[in-house]
Amino acid sequence: MKNLLTTCRDAEKNGVAVGHFNVSDLTALKGVAAATQELSVPIIIGASEGERKFLGDHQLAALVRSYREDTGLPIFLNADHTHSLEAAVAAANAGFDAIVFDLSALPFEENIRKTKEAIGVLKKINPDILIEGEIGDIGTGSHIHDSIPDLSAGLTSPQQAKKFVDSTGVDILAPAVGNMHGMSASMVHGDVKKRLDLKRIAEIKAATGSLITLHGASGTNDDDLRKAIAAGINIIHINTELRVAWRQSLDKSLAEHQNEVVPYKILPPVVDAIRQVAESRLRLFNNL
Ligand SMILES: [Zn+2]
């Protein structure tokens, strides 16, 4: 099976992007895996520090490996937004394929120095592991925000991106290009869509030649996503849309099964709701 690096570079050649979906539990993993099987495309399963703390590094790695073996599909595992070297080392040791080492809250030079140090340590554990670094401000928290934060001051410049990629040696770059973690209530209703700085994406790609991830893509205008892929985005993160589907379908199923206590009778509609979101996003990312 192709590794994650080759998978991303092949996606780039084919003008498509690899979908990255965060999971917090087996219900979400089952839904995302079902979407992958339906479409036979590569995907990345992501888990942030909070999600990994709930699921367990080794437990999640074993589950994802079992899906990969059962389906024969390129299903990869990423340690999303990891803020300490200790947590990154734990994920590398558990067999994750990639790590987002996120020190974007630190001053730029310190982010460069510590990211470079971490890459040295992590590649010794697994030379094939891909390390993603982050610069700029894309907000925090894949949940429903009361208001839409103004992140315009924290956009990534092409010069900054080039310096960061050249100085650290990251495999993948996560820039701030109009994207944002989480959604507002108006985005959940579909009244408002996130818009991306497409020109900036193209400039960052031209300056770095690096693989580029779009974080916080939930609630983004579909046409912007297509154009962002054409401009150089290689991996697209969806989390909040899955969480909204999880919550809404769970509420509905519980309401429809008032006296039911059997989880496997309550949860199938939740798995299916998550599958539908993941499948529709994968169709868009893969031009299907
Ligand atoms: Zn993210």
Side-chain angles (χ1 to χ4, degrees):
M1 191 178 290
K2 282 194 281 192
N3 65 18
L4 181 55
L5 181 62
T6 311
T7 299
C8 291
R9 287 296 180 195
D10 283 355
E12 181 160 50
K13 275 181 222 147
N14 296 329
V16 300
V18 181
H20 175 291
F21 301 95
N22 286 69
V23 302
S24 291
D25 71 354
L26 184 58
T27 314
L29 181 57
K30 281 172 73 78
V32 173
T36 316
Q37 282 171 272
E38 185 69 32
L39 301 176
S40 285
V41 293
I43 55 154
I44 305 169
I45 299 290
S48 64
E49 282 186 345
E51 288 161 334
R52 266 138 57 207
K53 204 171 167 194
F54 183 69
L55 279 164
D57 286 345
H58 287 279
Q59 289 70 25
L60 179 58
L63 283 167
V64 169
R65 191 166 53 243
S66 73
Y67 274 106
R68 186 153 50 187
E69 286 168 3
D70 273 6
T71 63
L73 289 167
I75 301 176
F76 299 101
L77 181 57
N78 175 46
D80 205 7
H81 297 289
T82 304
H83 303 288
S84 74
L85 184 55
E86 191 188 1
V89 165
N93 281 325
F96 281 58
D97 302 290
I99 294 174
V100 177
F101 195 64
D102 176 7
L103 301 183
S104 59
L106 294 180
F108 186 61
E109 295 296 339
E110 197 180 346
N111 183 359
I112 287 179
R113 186 169 52 77
K114 291 192 169 163
T115 300
K116 191 177 173 189
E117 277 172 20
I119 291 172
V121 173
L122 297 168
K123 296 267 183 183
K124 276 203 191 100
I125 297 171
N126 173 9
D128 283 338
I129 201 165
L130 298 188
I131 309 301
E132 177 172 330
E134 182 171 326
I135 46 173
D137 185 7
I138 50 183
T140 53
S142 294
H143 50 81
I144 312 303
H145 300 297
D146 292 333
S147 59
I148 302 170
D150 178 13
L151 302 173
S152 56
L155 292 178
T156 304
S157 74
Q159 296 78 7
Q160 231 183 4
K162 179 170 171 44
K163 183 166 184 212
F164 184 79
V165 170
D166 288 351
S167 320
T168 57
V170 286
D171 302 293
I172 308 169
L173 175 69
V177 288
N179 46 332
M180 176 195 107
H181 285 120
M183 296 167 82
S184 63
S186 53
M187 288 172 184
V188 173
H189 295 138
D191 307 332
V192 174
K193 296 281 183 189
K194 292 178 199 169
R195 303 306 303 261
L196 302 171
D197 191 335
L198 299 163
K199 183 165 163 275
R200 193 176 288 263
I201 293 170
E203 286 167 357
I204 291 171
K205 187 64 156 197
T208 63
S210 178
L211 291 172
I212 304 178
T213 300
L214 185 72
H215 281 253
S218 289
T220 304
N221 175 281
D222 282 2
D223 204 41
D224 274 16
L225 288 172
R226 284 187 200 96
K227 288 177 179 158
I229 296 168
I233 292 289
N234 307 102
I235 298 168
I236 303 181
H237 282 224
I238 297 288
N239 190 354
T240 314
E241 285 180 9
L242 298 182
R243 289 177 168 184
V244 168
W246 172 84
R247 175 65 198 245
Q248 289 177 345
S249 59
L250 182 58
D251 280 347
K252 186 162 175 276
S253 190
L254 287 170
E256 286 169 2
H257 300 83
Q258 290 286 342
N259 299 313
E260 187 57 76
V261 296
V262 181
Y264 59 76
K265 292 185 179 170
I266 296 170
L267 294 173
V270 182
V271 173
D272 199 54
I274 290 169
R275 177 195 60 77
Q276 284 180 42
V277 173
E279 197 175 315
S280 110
R281 284 325 208 170
L282 283 171
R283 282 187 190 281
L284 190 145
F285 302 160
N286 289 278
N287 223 352
L288 296 172

